[in-house]
């Protein structure tokens, strides 16, 4: 053990002598590679943070004592280039302005410069990524557009409906041009005009006398933007367009059904329409103004209600004030308006051509049904009689299947026994005093020579009035043309009926449906 100790002691002595014989220190050796003495690094910028501002970003950071720092370098990079600024050595913030809608990379560095400004040293630093607020920011894109809908009325006046006045909207104006006048005109709404969240308390305005729509119509808005410190900002103008009509969804459903249209409703689809029927629940009737050559509007003409149900099953209208205003404009431009039953309006406007007209069933001729065969799937169970044959009788009887714990689609097939010419159907809801709902729509198909089933009418699904005992007359198309077939089938689905206990005493939902009659209109 003693020998081993002496051995290692000797090795250490020899190593010490070797180092001393070099005649240099480790520091001297390092200096040979770094120039004039040891390298001095600049202290890193700490806690760099950025806050988005309007088309700018405010940067802040913390500094450590560093005698080698002569200035601070700020850099920002977008998708095209890198810009920079050199600021005072003791600065702890900087506002970078003139930015666009981009998530910039920002870096802040301590630097050492020569007398002529050349950067000879810079610290390391961690970047931050910030997107400034611009017109493309979500907060501004979602800012109120003010105008909800716009209409060109007879190429003379502008009718607009308004969104509710939001708290961050200060004022707005609608700019337009009159024919033969090069000066832009303005319809303005100031903070003093705000009444019940609408300009002058009205959700609409009729503007101009002889508007030149070819010059364009714009909406100018002034807003108070919270994310930029409640800055008052002139928003980018909104151009109003009139070429593609925009419809409320429920109004569009009826227009497609009445005019045999599919998909988007274009201006050319409605230009030549002179008579229009609207029958079912609507948010608004303002879309009537999209029809430039309309002569007659019938409201509820096709809802043929059972006696005594006229007040119970009336079509509703959500936006009555703006609808009445739009219909008044239509009336002033030559549209005769006929109102049926008690639909839509709590108080029917005096300017309507006809008010509270009783809707009556048109004179129709039906095919003889006594020799027809009718079947349904799913079938009646346990000798239950749903009254399926009642569908082929034009009286107060009805078809009522058993209730089910699941939703079923009932497929009712009617075999004429021979080929017949048909032009439509009269479908009557069951008039029963139960909670069973009436179907809102049915699908009617016919079998062609190849055995394939196809939709018999232009629209695959047929809308129905849902009043108890209500009759809906459906033609194959808007021209009331005829088709020949020997078999048709009707598809109708269950709706919720009631809650109750099943055979295992589970409290569950039950579903059912009912239908009064399905009469086939004789074709030519």
């Amino acid at each position: 053990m003693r020998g081993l100790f002496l051995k290692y002691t000797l090795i250490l002595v020899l190593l010490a002598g070797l180092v001393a014989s070099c005649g240099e220190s480790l520091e001297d050796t390092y200096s040979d590679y770094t120039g004039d003495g040891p390298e001095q690094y600049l202290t890193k910028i700490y806690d760099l943070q950025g806050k988005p501002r309007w088309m700018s970003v405010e940067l802040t950071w913390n500094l450590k004592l560093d005698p080698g720092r002569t200035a601070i370098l700020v850099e920002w990079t977008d998708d095209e280039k890198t810009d920079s600024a050199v600021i005072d050595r003791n600065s702890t913030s900087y506002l970078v302005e003139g930015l666009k809608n981009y998530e910039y990379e920002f870096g802040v560095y301590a630097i050492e410069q020569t007398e002529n400004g050349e950067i000879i040293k810079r610290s390391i630093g961690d970047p931050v990524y910030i997107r400034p607020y611009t017109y493309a920011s979500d907060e501004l894109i979602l800012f109120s557009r003010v105008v909800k809908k716009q209409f060109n009325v007879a190429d003379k006046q502008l009718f607009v409906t308004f969104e509710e006045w939001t708290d961050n909207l200060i004022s707005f104006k609608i700019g337009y041009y009159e024919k033969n006048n090069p000066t832009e005109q303005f319809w303005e709404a100031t903070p003093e005009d705000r009444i019940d969240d609408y300009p002058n308390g009205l959700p609409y305005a009729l503007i101009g006398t002889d508007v030149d729509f070819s010059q364009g119509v714009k909406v100018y808005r002034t807003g108070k933007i919270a994310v930029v410190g409640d800055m008052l900002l002139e928003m980018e103008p909104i151009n109003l367009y009139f070429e593609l009509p925009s419809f409320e969804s429920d109004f569009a459903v009826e227009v497609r059904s009445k005019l045999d249209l599919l998909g988007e409703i274009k201006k050319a689809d409605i230009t030549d329409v002179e008579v229009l029927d609207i029958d079912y629940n609507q948010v608004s009737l303002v879309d009537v103004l999209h029809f430039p050559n309309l002569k007659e509007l019938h409201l509820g003409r096709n809802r043929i209600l059972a006696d005594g149900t006229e007040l119970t099953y009336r079509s509703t209208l959500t936006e009555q004030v703006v609808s009445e205003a739009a219909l008044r404009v239509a009336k002033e431009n030559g549209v005769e308006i006929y109102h049926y039953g008690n639909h839509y309006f709590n108080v029917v406007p005096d300017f309507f051509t006809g008010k509270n007209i009783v809707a009556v069933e048109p004179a129709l001729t039906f095919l003889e049904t006594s020799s027809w065969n009718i079947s349904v799937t799913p079938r009646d169970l346990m000798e239950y009689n749903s009254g399926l044959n009642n569908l082929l009788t034009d009286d107060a009887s009805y078809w009522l299947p058993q209730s089910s714990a699941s939703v079923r689609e009932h497929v009712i097939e009617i075999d004429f026994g021979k080929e017949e010419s048909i032009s439509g159907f009269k479908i009557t809801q069951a008039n029963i005093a139960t909670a069973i709902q009436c179907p809102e729509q049915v699908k009617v198909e016919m079998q062609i020579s190849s055995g394939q089933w196809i939709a018999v009418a232009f629209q695959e699904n047929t809308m129905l009035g849902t009043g108890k005992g209500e009759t809906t007359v459906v033609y194959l198309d808007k021209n009331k043309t005829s088709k020949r077939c020997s078999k048709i089938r009707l598809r109708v689905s269950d709706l919720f009926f009631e809650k109750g206990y099943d055979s295992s005493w589970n409290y569950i939902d039950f579903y059912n449906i009912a239908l009064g009659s399905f009469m086939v209109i004789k074709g030519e």
Side-chain angles (χ1 to χ4, degrees):
M1 186 71 176
R2 178 186 177 94
L4 183 62
F5 174 77
L6 291 173
K7 179 180 179 181
Y8 281 112
T9 302
L10 178 61
I11 292 171
L12 289 173
V13 170
L14 291 173
L15 287 174
L18 179 63
V19 170
S21 68
C22 293
E24 297 181 305
S25 67
L26 287 174
E27 181 176 301
D28 293 337
T29 303
Y30 183 69
S31 299
D32 288 343
Y33 293 95
T34 58
D36 299 330
E39 178 72 30
Q40 299 293 324
Y41 292 100
L42 296 174
T43 304
K44 173 184 174 181
I45 298 293
Y46 288 91
D47 301 324
L48 176 60
Q49 296 182 2
K51 291 184 179 180
R53 299 287 188 245
W54 180 245
M55 300 181 73
S56 61
V57 168
E58 182 182 7
L59 300 172
T60 59
W61 57 87
N62 290 325
L63 292 177
K64 301 293 184 180
L65 183 63
D66 187 353
R69 182 179 64 242
T70 61
I72 289 176
L73 173 68
V74 180
E75 288 185 341
W76 56 97
T77 303
D78 60 17
D79 56 336
E80 296 177 338
K81 64 184 187 304
T82 296
D83 290 310
S84 63
V86 176
I87 59 177
D88 184 79
R89 65 186 300 273
N90 294 317
S91 297
T92 56
S93 66
Y94 185 73
L95 181 65
V96 184
E97 299 180 285
L99 302 179
K100 62 182 181 180
N101 180 43
Y102 187 83
E103 188 175 49
Y104 285 79
E105 177 184 309
F106 295 93
V108 178
Y109 312 95
I111 61 173
E112 181 180 345
Q113 295 174 293
T114 63
E115 292 183 359
N116 61 7
E118 179 185 357
I119 298 175
I120 57 175
K121 292 180 183 178
R122 63 186 286 170
S123 68
I124 60 175
D126 299 321
V128 293
Y129 299 87
I130 309 291
R131 184 185 298 270
Y133 293 118
T134 67
Y135 286 115
S137 300
D138 290 343
E139 291 80 358
L140 278 81
I141 291 176
L142 298 175
F143 191 84
S144 172
R145 294 180 60 85
V146 175
V147 171
K148 187 177 179 180
K149 283 195 169 187
Q150 63 274 359
F151 301 88
N152 177 337
V153 180
D155 204 33
K156 290 183 177 294
Q157 291 181 291
L158 169 66
F159 186 88
V160 295
T161 64
F162 297 117
E163 298 177 352
E164 287 191 9
W165 194 312
T166 57
D167 289 339
N168 60 352
L169 175 65
I170 301 302
S171 62
F172 70 89
K173 58 185 178 181
I174 298 174
Y176 64 98
Y177 291 86
E178 294 279 353
K179 294 184 178 77
N180 301 316
N181 186 345
T183 303
E184 187 174 17
Q185 309 296 306
F186 295 101
W187 189 95
E188 300 187 53
T190 65
E192 292 74 24
D193 297 322
R194 181 180 179 178
I195 302 173
D196 296 331
D197 290 334
Y198 289 107
N200 302 311
L202 297 175
Y204 64 88
L206 182 63
I207 299 171
T209 56
D210 195 14
V211 177
D212 185 354
F213 287 93
S214 68
Q215 296 272 28
V217 178
K218 293 183 179 181
V219 181
Y220 303 89
R221 304 159 295 160
T222 301
K224 182 172 65 174
I225 311 303
V227 294
V228 287
D230 287 339
M231 174 191 289
L232 290 182
L233 188 64
E234 297 296 329
M235 311 296 289
E236 289 187 318
I238 296 175
N239 293 304
L240 300 183
Y241 297 100
F242 301 87
E243 289 306 310
L244 183 63
S246 171
F247 290 89
E248 296 288 344
S249 59
D250 43 14
F251 196 95
V253 167
E254 290 218 48
V255 170
R256 292 190 191 101
S257 174
K258 300 297 195 302
L259 302 183
D260 294 346
L261 300 174
L262 295 174
E264 187 176 58
I265 303 172
K266 301 179 179 62
K267 195 172 182 178
D269 296 327
I270 60 177
T271 297
D272 297 328
V273 174
E274 295 185 352
V275 179
L276 181 64
D277 281 81
I278 299 295
D279 295 303
Y280 301 113
N281 295 347
Q282 299 292 323
V283 170
S284 172
L285 294 174
V286 71
D287 289 335
V288 166
L289 295 179
H290 281 309
F291 294 76
N293 295 304
L294 193 65
K295 290 183 172 56
E296 291 183 15
L297 174 65
H298 296 267
L299 301 175
R301 175 165 61 169
N302 298 301
R303 295 206 63 180
I304 305 167
L305 299 173
D307 291 341
T309 67
E310 294 86 356
L311 295 177
T312 305
Y313 303 109
R314 54 192 297 266
S315 296
T316 61
L317 178 62
T318 305
E319 298 177 356
Q320 296 203 10
V321 173
V322 71
S323 296
E324 181 176 341
L327 294 182
R328 185 182 295 275
V329 171
K331 173 69 174 180
E332 292 170 352
N333 284 273
V335 180
E336 301 299 330
I337 304 171
Y338 299 90
H339 171 265
Y340 295 78
N342 297 279
H343 302 298
Y344 299 121
F345 291 96
N346 298 327
V347 178
V348 182
D350 291 335
F351 60 84
F352 283 9
T353 305
K355 299 191 295 182
N356 304 112
I357 303 169
V358 177
V360 296
E361 181 181 322
L364 301 169
T365 302
F366 304 113
L367 292 178
E368 171 58 43
T369 66
S370 59
S371 63
W372 291 0
N373 181 55
I374 184 170
S375 61
V376 64
T377 55
R379 296 180 298 172
D380 296 342
L381 300 177
M382 298 181 296
E383 299 183 356
Y384 176 82
N385 182 9
S386 64
L388 184 63
N389 285 292
N390 292 337
L391 290 174
L392 303 180
T393 59
D394 192 16
D395 56 27
S397 60
Y398 50 84
W399 164 69
L400 177 62
Q402 292 170 295
S403 297
S404 168
S406 60
V407 175
R408 303 158 297 182
E409 182 186 51
H410 303 271
V411 181
I412 302 166
E413 185 172 318
I414 302 171
D415 188 345
F416 301 160
K418 62 179 180 179
E419 192 175 80
E420 298 276 12
S421 177
I422 65 174
S423 63
F425 315 98
K426 186 185 92 165
I427 305 174
T428 302
Q429 300 281 14
N431 195 357
I432 52 178
T434 70
I436 292 177
Q437 297 188 65
C438 297
E440 298 177 354
Q441 64 179 22
V442 295
K443 180 185 292 185
V444 185
E445 301 169 310
M446 72 176 186
Q447 191 177 45
I448 58 178
S449 56
S450 66
Q452 180 183 3
W453 291 93
I454 62 171
V456 67
F458 185 86
Q459 300 289 338
E460 185 177 22
N461 294 304
T462 297
M463 296 174 59
L464 302 178
T466 57
K468 296 291 180 69
E470 180 174 353
T471 293
T472 303
V473 176
V474 182
Y475 295 100
L476 302 189
D477 60 32
K478 64 180 181 180
N479 298 317
K480 302 181 182 179
T481 55
S482 300
K483 293 181 180 178
R484 298 190 67 82
C485 64
S486 60
K487 288 183 180 181
I488 59 174
R489 70 182 180 188
L490 178 70
R491 293 179 178 270
V492 60
S493 296
D494 287 330
L495 297 171
F496 174 76
F497 171 37
E498 64 181 1
K499 283 186 169 292
Y501 292 95
D502 64 9
S503 58
S504 301
W505 291 99
N506 297 309
Y507 193 62
I508 62 171
D509 293 341
F510 284 96
Y511 303 88
N512 209 342
I513 204 70
L515 200 60
S517 65
F518 182 82
M519 306 302 295
V520 182
I521 303 171
K522 185 176 182 180
E524 296 180 354

